[in-house]
Amino acid sequence: MNIFGLFEKRVADALGRLAEAGKIPAGLDISRVVVEPPRDPSHGDLATNAAMVLAKEARMNPRALAELLISDLGDDPRVTKVEAAGPGFINIRLQPHVLHEVLRAVVADSSGFGRSGQGAGKAVNVEYVSANPTGPMHVGHCRGAVFGDALAGLLDFAGYKVSREYYINDAGAQVDVLARSAYLRYREALGQEIGAIPEGLYPGDYLKPVGERLAQEHGSSLLDKPETEWLPFVKEASIVAMLDMIRGDLAALNIHHDIFFSERSLQQGPEGDQVAKMIEELKGRDLIYMGRLPPPKGQKDEDWEDREQLLFRATAYGDEVDRPLMKSDGSYTYFASDIAYHRSKYERGFLSMIDVLGADHGGYVKRMQAAVRAVSDNRAELDVKLCQLVKLLRGGEPVKMSKRSGDFVTLREVVDEVGRDSTRFMMIFRKNDAPLDFDLAKVVEQSKDNPVFYVQYAHARCASIFRQAAEAFPGADFSSAQLEGADLSILGDEAEMDIIHRIAQFPRMIEAAAEAHEPHRVAFYLYDLASAFHSLWNKGKDLPQLRFVNLTDKESTQARLALVHALKGVLASGLAILGVTAPDEMR
């Protein structure tokens, strides 16, 4: 039950009646009309901007249009008061039973409350992590991994059909470097002295098991072969080992992708060279040509070459310059492979794509969006979400690098130290495009200053209230079926009504967060809801009549248990979206 959605329809119906009566022009664009919580809760339960955003198109004074709407909305039996405010806002106060019905709806189906048909089963591809398969996941990957997985969970909750995808960058020079680094460890496993790891190779200890496995499988036979012969074997074995490690790292965060798509398969797969096919297709549409690019303005671009080369008409789809597809040595640019890869997504039926990338890919956004528009003939859309850097601290001091990885802190080290829930919640408790300080000491504190603890503690407190009620009223039935019939008019305290209002906002928040692709909104909402609940808990210490379990009044206990049941369900749903557990006890 989305009360905001219901009243958006109610406002739209009112505008329709006013148009039919000739009081306002017909055919107004109501796409910007919203019903939302008022900025000041004392002004009412709902607010709409309809008069303000439609006044110009309707050629009316905003207050005059507001008065027409107020007259119509005031006839609604669910409404007690409607009044204009400011430059055209309309505040609406509801009958108490309307909010009580929202609460009953949550009690009846707590796990389903907030789910919507917004996505209508639309297929969405969320590609995230996609780290080079050259070593263990590091803390920088962690943020993108959590963000992408939480976004996928949010979209799924909002009714989309979500596919979680990992793009394996297994076709570039970095995998040759990986193979040579693993070969060095292979020689070490055979007892050879390798000395210091040469510059340009991967120095981490994580490659030692790969070398040992190669030694077990091949003995010393690879030592007698030239690089051209041993490189393919070692490369394949190294990639498989790295992907197994990456899957394990992600599993530690409870992240599991539906698809692992190999970059190599674009050129060496059973369907032939898909990059070449993409180029020929776009050539046929005059979107690829031979040309010369001007030098970049204001900064040096290492990829720029003053030569005639194969270019994609990215400017035809909103990019700033056309983009090269072939290097001077005749190989494809990374961008060419990325176009073919996103063409593959389109051919697999995805008209909505989301790429989660690191902050250093900011200059890549427009060209990729142009590419998706081109390969889909403007049928598909791409949203690129950039995740800013993570600064890892312990007690305010920077954390030293890992010996296992060689030059960075691994994702697994973070999860092993602070736990999956703390890692996931705190990685999402800041907007993705803002830098994040992740303090290993603070995220395990049991205090209000630690958001994940504060939210999980709220859920655990809800569970403890039901245990208290069972002890206070032995044999009593406090199931959701019974709580649906509770006398909710008992819930009249300002703090109780504040929680009901916040619960009612959950479906609206979900739809807004899903539309904006911003899962951090869920984390913020949960923290605010938990704060309101803890405040009510503390208020009950001073005012016995507000305590959730009243030994002498089963009726008020039932009403407050209904509130707690609804609150607990919303907390559990929100935490599940973020991939965080909702514990019934905390020690």
Side-chain angles (χ1 to χ4, degrees):
M1 183 178 181
N2 184 345
I3 196 168
F4 296 92
L6 291 175
F7 271 82
E8 277 188 10
K9 185 177 185 305
R10 178 67 179 81
V11 170
D13 291 344
L15 290 167
R17 282 189 291 272
L18 291 172
E20 288 177 7
K23 296 180 179 180
I24 63 173
L28 295 177
D29 178 10
I30 64 172
S31 62
R32 292 188 297 139
V33 173
V34 298
V35 173
E36 58 191 354
R39 291 183 180 178
D40 185 345
S42 68
H43 292 167
D45 301 306
L46 310 171
T48 180
N49 65 349
M52 186 176 69
V53 300
L54 296 177
K56 184 176 181 180
E57 186 181 355
R59 297 184 179 181
M60 296 177 66
N61 180 286
R63 297 285 293 205
L65 179 52
E67 291 301 327
L68 291 174
L69 278 168
I70 287 170
S71 177
D72 188 290
L73 295 172
D75 293 335
D76 194 309
R78 298 170 294 181
V79 172
T80 61
K81 186 178 182 181
V82 191
E83 58 185 357
F89 279 100
I90 298 172
N91 293 324
I92 304 168
R93 192 171 297 280
L94 302 173
Q95 295 280 3
H97 74 82
V98 178
L99 292 169
H100 295 160
E101 289 308 310
V102 174
L103 202 60
R104 292 189 204 282
V106 190
V107 172
D109 183 16
S110 60
S111 63
F113 182 70
R115 292 186 180 273
S116 76
Q118 178 188 32
K122 180 181 179 181
V124 180
N125 181 284
V126 184
E127 181 212 328
Y128 56 108
V129 187
S130 299
N132 288 338
T134 55
M137 306 283 292
H138 59 65
V139 71
H141 296 133
C142 184
R143 188 175 191 186
V146 170
F147 175 86
D149 206 54
L151 176 56
L154 170 63
L155 293 171
D156 181 77
F157 196 80
Y160 293 87
K161 184 179 179 181
V162 183
S163 179
R164 297 162 170 83
E165 186 153 337
Y166 186 119
Y167 183 51
I168 308 169
N169 300 115
D170 56 358
Q174 74 277 359
V175 291
D176 288 340
V177 174
L178 172 70
R180 294 186 182 102
S181 304
Y183 184 77
L184 196 66
R185 297 299 189 177
Y186 160 72
R187 287 174 46 209
E188 182 182 41
L190 292 174
Q192 291 190 5
E193 180 62 44
I194 63 171
I197 305 297
E199 187 175 346
L201 298 185
Y202 298 116
D205 290 346
Y206 63 87
L207 285 172
K208 287 186 175 181
V210 182
E212 291 166 359
R213 195 173 305 120
L214 287 168
Q216 291 171 0
E217 294 177 0
H218 298 279
S220 61
S221 64
L222 298 181
L223 295 176
D224 300 326
K225 299 180 183 295
E227 181 179 292
T228 52
E229 292 186 25
W230 63 251
L231 189 68
F233 293 102
V234 177
K235 183 192 299 187
E236 189 62 33
S238 301
I239 291 173
V240 169
M242 292 303 100
L243 284 175
D244 285 345
M245 181 186 297
I246 288 170
R247 284 190 177 96
D249 288 346
L250 292 173
L253 276 172
N254 198 26
I255 293 175
H256 305 277
H257 289 80
D258 302 310
I259 301 168
F260 280 79
F261 190 101
S262 164
E263 181 185 359
R264 278 189 299 168
S265 70
L266 291 171
Q267 297 178 46
Q268 303 172 20
E271 297 179 7
D273 190 338
Q274 295 303 300
V275 185
K277 289 181 181 179
M278 174 274 297
I279 289 174
E280 288 306 309
E281 177 187 309
L282 295 184
K283 272 185 181 178
R285 295 166 53 197
D286 195 30
L287 293 176
I288 289 180
Y289 67 100
M290 293 298 296
R292 190 180 297 268
L293 287 175
K297 297 178 181 179
Q299 61 182 15
K300 186 177 181 181
D301 187 338
E302 299 294 340
D303 294 330
W304 180 76
E305 294 178 286
D306 185 17
R307 64 181 176 88
E308 188 92 347
Q309 56 187 313
L310 196 68
L311 300 174
F312 163 60
R313 294 188 193 277
T315 52
Y317 293 91
D319 197 6
E320 296 162 354
V321 296
D322 293 339
R323 303 292 179 175
L325 300 181
M326 301 284 284
K327 300 177 185 177
S328 56
D329 63 3
S331 62
Y332 299 124
T333 62
Y334 286 116
F335 180 56
S337 294
D338 283 342
I339 298 177
Y341 171 47
H342 284 77
R343 175 175 174 263
S344 150
K345 293 183 184 181
Y346 173 63
E347 291 178 339
R348 285 182 274 143
F350 295 109
L351 301 182
S352 179
M353 309 173 198
I354 303 169
D355 288 357
V356 180
L357 303 175
D360 56 338
H361 287 75
Y364 216 59
V365 176
K366 283 188 176 180
R367 72 186 73 175
M368 280 315 310
Q369 290 175 331
V372 168
R373 293 188 194 105
V375 297
S376 69
D377 200 15
N378 286 311
R379 295 184 182 90
E381 57 186 16
L382 169 68
D383 184 21
V384 180
K385 310 301 287 188
L386 301 177
C387 290
Q388 276 290 346
L389 298 175
V390 177
K391 183 187 293 184
L392 201 62
L393 309 169
R394 181 180 286 109
E397 296 297 322
V399 174
K400 293 181 179 179
M401 298 306 163
S402 165
K403 182 177 184 297
R404 176 169 175 260
S405 64
D407 59 358
F408 53 80
V409 178
T410 67
L411 177 154
R412 184 64 71 92
E413 287 171 319
V414 172
V415 177
D416 287 348
E417 180 168 339
V418 304
R420 185 181 77 201
D421 288 345
S422 294
T423 303
R424 289 192 65 125
F425 195 94
M426 294 309 297
M427 284 288 174
I428 211 72
F429 198 65
R430 192 167 180 83
K431 198 168 185 295
N432 59 284
D433 59 6
L436 173 68
D437 287 353
F438 188 97
D439 195 305
L440 295 165
K442 289 185 177 180
V443 300
V444 293
E445 287 181 357
Q446 295 192 350
S447 73
K448 182 180 180 180
D449 295 331
N450 178 7
V452 62
F453 167 78
Y454 209 52
V455 174
Q456 288 185 314
Y457 188 39
H459 187 274
R461 267 185 165 174
C462 289
S464 75
I465 290 169
F466 274 90
R467 291 194 294 270
Q468 292 172 26
E471 292 175 5
F473 299 94
D477 184 0
F478 292 129
S479 65
S480 59
Q482 289 298 315
L483 295 178
E484 277 186 74
D487 180 6
L488 300 181
S489 65
I490 293 170
L491 304 174
D493 183 81
E494 182 180 353
E496 293 171 331
M497 294 307 297
D498 177 50
I499 291 176
I500 296 174
H501 277 103
R502 291 179 187 276
I503 289 172
Q505 292 169 21
F506 183 63
R508 179 182 182 275
M509 181 278 298
I510 289 294
E511 291 191 352
E515 184 176 358
H517 300 162
E518 293 184 345
H520 72 274
R521 295 192 192 191
V522 180
F524 289 1
Y525 168 87
L526 292 175
Y527 182 77
D528 290 342
L529 181 62
S531 296
F533 172 62
H534 290 308
S535 294
L536 178 58
W537 176 287
N538 292 329
K539 193 173 183 179
K541 292 179 181 178
D542 300 323
L543 300 173
Q545 68 272 24
L546 292 181
R547 290 175 184 169
F548 299 105
V549 178
N550 188 327
L551 297 176
T552 61
D553 189 346
K554 185 177 178 182
E555 191 175 25
S556 70
T557 297
Q558 282 186 312
R560 292 192 169 90
L561 286 180
L563 176 63
V564 173
H565 181 90
L567 173 71
K568 182 172 179 281
V570 169
L571 287 171
S573 292
L575 287 169
I577 288 170
L578 302 181
V580 178
T581 60
D584 286 344
E585 292 183 88
M586 295 186 73
R587 295 184 175 87

